Amino acid sequence: MNAQNVGELAMIKSLLEGNGIAYVVHGEHVSSLYPGVPFLGSRVLVEESELARADTLLRWLRLSIREAV
């Protein structure tokens, strides 16, 4: 899952932490270097076994999360 800005990333992290889903953020501070550049977003990685649950929670929030290809 990709977060496009620091606000979106904070919401994702909070939701995952609050539901006990372990995650790793790749490129967490990159978007703060060049704000507004969409291809420099952060990637949130979760265990494959938690992917469906994380996806359901994020869809519930109706964020503009895009799954990494």
Side-chain angles (χ1 to χ4, degrees):
M1 294 167 264
N2 294 330
Q4 297 302 307
N5 58 55
V6 293
E8 192 173 271
L9 179 60
M11 289 177 64
I12 293 168
K13 288 170 55 175
S14 177
L15 182 65
L16 295 175
E17 287 173 13
N19 285 278
I21 299 174
Y23 64 89
V24 174
V25 179
H26 182 261
E28 184 168 3
H29 302 289
V30 170
S31 65
S32 63
L33 294 172
Y34 301 100
V37 181
F39 61 85
L40 293 177
S42 302
R43 180 177 287 180
V44 180
L45 307 169
V46 299
E47 291 281 336
E48 190 171 344
S49 61
E50 294 282 17
L51 186 58
R53 191 169 135 216
D55 186 54
T56 299
L57 291 167
L58 294 172
R59 287 181 193 272
W60 179 76
L61 276 179
R62 297 182 185 181
L63 292 175
S64 59
I65 306 300
R66 285 151 297 282
E67 196 168 313
V69 178

